[in-house]
Amino acid sequence: MKRAVSESELNQHLPEELAATVKLYLDEKIRSFYFRKDRPGVVFFMETASLDEARSILDQLPLVEEGILDFDLIPVGALTPLATLLN
């Protein structure tokens, strides 16, 4: 569960959070990441075998461990209906 946090407290954790995020990117677990424009937050596109694996990876991020950040997992995949165009 996400808890309220001051900007000062958040800024204290950002270097460690950024390092952990870049490591996941370099380990090819996070394929890309973006800032949300509609509200505070980020979107990660991840390369995992399951939602449980993604949850396990994200649970190790410093801001998640501190209870500052939570997340929603949404499985995505190839746009398979495009195959109908090939027939």
Side-chain angles (χ1 to χ4, degrees):
M1 176 68 56
K2 186 173 130 182
R3 66 176 172 83
V5 62
S6 69
E7 186 174 339
S8 174
E9 183 182 3
L10 178 63
N11 288 340
Q12 291 174 14
H13 295 285
L14 287 181
E16 186 180 13
E17 185 73 11
L18 179 58
T21 301
V22 170
K23 181 175 182 334
L24 290 174
Y25 175 79
L26 294 173
D27 289 345
E28 298 185 0
K29 294 298 181 181
I30 294 178
R31 288 292 183 192
S32 58
F33 43 99
Y34 299 90
F35 279 110
R36 292 186 64 141
K37 289 190 174 187
D38 61 337
R39 63 183 173 128
V42 297
V43 175
F44 293 151
F45 285 90
M46 300 181 71
E47 187 77 24
T48 63
S50 68
L51 290 177
D52 287 337
E53 181 185 359
R55 186 175 290 107
S56 174
I57 291 167
L58 294 173
D59 280 345
Q60 296 176 41
L61 288 172
L63 290 177
V64 175
E65 288 179 335
E66 290 290 325
I68 296 171
L69 177 71
D70 60 4
F71 51 86
D72 296 315
L73 297 175
I74 303 167
V76 298
L79 189 56
T80 54
L82 287 176
T84 61
L85 298 174
L86 300 176
N87 293 331

